[in-house]
Amino acid sequence: MLSAEQLHHFKNLLTQSLKENEKQIEQNHHFGLHEEQNNVGLSGELSNYDNHPADSATELYEREKDLAIDDHYRDEVDEIRAALVAIEKGTYGVCQVCQKEIPIDRLEAMPTATTCIEHSQQQNLNEYRPIEEEVINANVEVPHDDNNGFDEEDSWQSVAKWGNSDGPSDLYDAPTDYDKMYLNSGENVGYTEEFENSVGTDIDGKNIQIFDTKQLRAYEDALDEEGIMTTFGDLKAYEEEPYVDNQEDEQ
């Protein structure tokens, strides 16, 4: 059991720590959280409509950080008060789970400890993960018909078309319309053609091979039925060399 001198020592440590934490909370004015609860915003603006999204994100991050720090101070105060109550009751230094004495070295390192190391709550790892992680690597595909799909790139385009923080200077080939201010805004959203999986190459991108797949046969049948070469019409007569107009240009 702890001696009277040791209990006095830990009581002084806890009391001093309690004063410091309460002073810190008072000096920070609870990080302005009371003002926000009274519908008084800290930004000083009636609306964030004309603010840049990055500025709003920075303000949100700072408020989340303030909330975390405020919770930390409050938890520290609660743990210190619980330890002081244990000293008054004569149960300080005894594990609340197994009723064994807590090593003096642990109390020196953590005066608020109420359990031994074996029964510390910190040994139970928090398995909570942000819900956003569930879709980071998700293979999102919502088929619309036999040939079209909706992949992750289309998901981003569908969201980005409503606005983002990009401006003309953020894109290499900036569009003239601000409604198209996102990557690959000019392509057809929703087209992920399954027959593209029928084409394969080696590791160097050479030795192109065509594999006879169900999707490819269906694509060819659809073109034959319409009597066209591609879904967007017939190619020019020199489609074998599409990047040159004649032999002179090729040379």
Side-chain angles (χ1 to χ4, degrees), residues 82-128:
L84 290 173
V85 170
I87 291 177
E88 297 297 329
K89 292 182 176 180
T91 59
Y92 183 78
V94 178
C95 178
Q96 294 180 347
V97 179
C98 63
Q99 305 303 318
K100 295 181 179 179
E101 294 184 13
I102 301 175
I104 190 69
D105 293 339
R106 174 169 169 78
L107 293 176
E108 286 287 356
M110 187 182 297
T112 57
T114 56
T115 62
C116 59
I117 296 178
E118 289 75 11
H119 296 100
S120 173
Q121 293 182 356
Q122 295 181 356
Q123 292 190 13
N124 299 325
L125 299 179
N126 190 351
E127 297 181 356
Y128 168 78

Side-chain angles (χ1 to χ4, degrees), residues 15-221:
T15 302
Q16 181 64 26
S17 180
L18 179 62
K19 291 180 180 179
E20 292 175 356
N21 279 274
E22 289 179 338
K23 182 179 179 181
Q24 191 69 36
I25 294 176
E26 183 179 357
Q27 288 179 343
N28 291 328
H29 302 288
H30 296 278
F31 299 94
L33 300 178
H34 294 315
E35 287 79 0
E36 289 189 354
Q37 292 176 356
N38 294 327
N39 296 326
V40 179
L42 296 180
S43 63
E45 300 185 28
L46 296 178
S47 173
N48 292 324
Y49 180 79
D50 59 342
N51 286 4
H52 194 283
D55 294 333
S56 299
T58 299
E59 184 177 348
L60 175 62
Y61 164 75
E62 292 296 334
R63 298 313 292 148
E64 290 177 338
K65 184 174 68 175
D66 292 341
L67 285 170
I69 296 176
D70 187 66
D71 288 342
H72 171 75
Y73 283 134
R74 292 176 180 273
D75 291 341
E76 282 285 326
V77 169
D78 292 340
E79 292 176 0
I80 294 172
R81 288 175 177 171
L84 290 173
V85 170
I87 291 177
E88 297 297 329
K89 292 182 176 180
T91 59
Y92 183 78
V94 178
C95 178
Q96 294 180 347
V97 179
C98 63
Q99 305 303 318
K100 295 181 179 179
E101 294 184 13
I102 301 175
I104 190 69
D105 293 339
R106 174 169 169 78
L107 293 176
E108 286 287 356
M110 187 182 297
T112 57
T114 56
T115 62
C116 59
I117 296 178
E118 289 75 11
H119 296 100
S120 173
Q121 293 182 356
Q122 295 181 356
Q123 292 190 13
N124 299 325
L125 299 179
N126 190 351
E127 297 181 356
Y128 168 78
R129 302 302 304 169
I131 193 172
E132 290 82 3
E133 291 187 0
E134 297 180 6
V135 296
I136 288 179
N137 297 319
N139 185 15
V140 181
E141 185 173 347
V142 183
H144 296 297
D145 52 44
D146 293 338
N147 295 323
N148 297 337
F150 192 84
D151 63 5
E152 290 141 320
E153 181 183 0
D154 295 331
S155 299
W156 160 248
Q157 291 171 336
S158 296
V159 175
K161 70 181 181 181
W162 296 101
N164 56 54
S165 60
D166 289 341
S169 60
D170 297 309
L171 301 179
Y172 175 77
D173 186 15
T176 56
D177 188 351
Y178 265 83
D179 292 335
K180 301 292 184 180
M181 201 62 61
Y182 57 92
L183 190 63
N184 296 331
S185 60
E187 72 176 20
N188 293 325
V189 178
Y191 286 87
T192 306
E193 297 173 311
E194 296 181 356
F195 72 86
E196 293 177 355
N197 295 328
S198 304
V199 182
T201 65
D202 59 17
I203 193 172
D204 296 320
K206 302 177 181 179
N207 299 324
I208 301 176
Q209 297 183 17
I210 305 297
F211 302 97
D212 185 21
T213 63
K214 178 181 178 181
Q215 291 80 9
L216 179 60
R217 291 196 299 270
Y219 178 71
E220 292 175 341
D221 292 342

